[in-house]
Amino acid sequence: QSALTQPASVSGSPGQSITISCTGTSSDVGGYNYVSWYQQHPGKAPKFMIYDVSKRPSGVSNRFSGSKSGNTASLTISGLQAEDEADYYCSSYTSSSTWVFGGGTKLTVL
Amino acid sequence: EVQLVQSGTEVKKPGESLKISCKGSGYSFTNYWIGWVRQMPGKGLEWMGIIYPGDSDTRYSPSFQGQVTISVDKSIRTAYLQWSSLKASDTAMYYCAKHLIPAREEEAFDIWGQGTMVTVSS
């Protein structure tokens, strides 16, 4: 199973919105509404940000939102803040009853 | 508080065996799938596999099948990741994480351990 495809890096200025894409296949992203997103700051464990494509766990800012169209899922961060600078990973359940991560996207807040 | 606490840093030689651990607390340990994720230095997250403590049902990524063994001792609420013969390429941070909803391996990882750094070097 191949890793999901994410852009290596994205950037934005404080207050702006950015979107990170996550492209898979019909055997993972396109076939299930079990896409999740994780934020990882340097030297820290990943943090759970979005699940089931668009659901936000309690405690996660409503500036973070998720969506999906076909084989591509997206994470949008609005009102960008300095503390949003981190690596972001998507993940999807697959037809093999396993999970696969994306390669990760480094978000830089300019 | 729901927590996963992992065992400490390991430094091993190629060919040695290793078993690292992940102890859960604050939730019904037997009812939630728990998994392992590798992160090689400077690289992304890789899903390795998961286990259901209730019956030890296990799933492996094809990339890790046969390379590692995931096990659990539900009596002490602890999951394990083990190698029989380490290679330098096993050098990485290893995270355990539990799934969000009881008995549902399709759901996301919600709680993560702090990570165990494994260094394999001669």
Side-chain angles (χ1 to χ4, degrees):
Chain A
Q1 84 208 15
S2 300
L4 306 176
T5 301
Q6 297 181 231
S9 62
V10 298
S11 62
S13 299
Q16 288 186 330
S17 294
I18 63 94
T19 296
I20 299 171
S21 61
C22 169
T23 302
T25 69
S26 57
S27 295
D28 38 64
V29 175
Y32 303 91
N33 286 326
Y34 295 121
V35 176
S36 51
W37 289 89
Y38 302 90
Q39 175 192 66
Q40 187 181 35
H41 286 108
K44 300 294 188 184
K47 178 186 174 184
F48 170 52
M49 303 299 285
I50 295 285
Y51 69 103
D52 292 356
V53 175
S54 59
K55 296 178 182 175
R56 240 184 350 263
S58 61
V60 172
S61 169
N62 59 9
R63 297 186 299 104
F64 291 83
S65 61
S67 62
K68 189 184 87 166
S69 177
N71 294 339
T72 298
S74 299
L75 173 71
T76 297
I77 308 174
S78 58
L80 213 53
Q81 299 179 1
E83 61 260 35
D84 299 332
E85 185 162 295
D87 293 325
Y88 290 85
Y89 294 91
C90 62
S91 187
S92 174
Y93 187 65
T94 80
S95 59
S96 302
S97 301
T98 60
W99 281 79
V100 61
F101 281 101
T105 298
K106 181 177 180 59
L107 169 60
T108 301
V109 180
L110 301 170
Chain B
E1 181 192 5
V2 177
Q3 267 191 309
L4 295 173
V5 178
Q6 298 184 228
S7 50
T9 298
E10 300 278 359
V11 179
K12 306 292 276 187
K13 291 183 171 16
E16 292 185 331
S17 62
L18 176 64
K19 193 173 189 177
I20 62 175
S21 66
C22 170
K23 185 175 179 66
S25 62
Y27 72 99
S28 180
F29 182 79
T30 54
N31 291 345
Y32 290 79
W33 288 82
I34 190 165
W36 290 93
V37 175
R38 183 174 80 174
Q39 188 166 37
M40 299 176 77
K43 302 298 184 183
L45 304 176
E46 299 173 90
W47 190 90
M48 301 177 72
I50 53 174
I51 189 165
Y52 187 69
D55 61 8
S56 296
D57 188 12
T58 310
R59 314 250 193 277
Y60 289 95
S61 162
S63 300
F64 292 95
Q65 178 86 48
Q67 308 305 307
V68 297
T69 301
I70 295 172
S71 61
V72 68
D73 184 338
K74 59 186 179 183
S75 70
I76 56 171
R77 307 171 62 89
T78 300
Y80 300 97
L81 178 66
Q82 69 180 88
W83 296 258
S84 58
S85 180
L86 286 160
K87 302 185 280 287
S89 56
D90 293 317
T91 294
M93 179 71 81
Y94 293 88
Y95 293 101
C96 66
K98 64 169 277 296
H99 278 260
L100 173 66
I101 292 177
R104 296 284 302 274
E105 86 264 27
E106 315 95 303
E107 291 293 352
F109 286 137
D110 62 340
I111 302 296
W112 293 66
Q114 82 278 19
T116 296
M117 184 67 208
V118 174
T119 301
V120 184
S121 174
S122 54

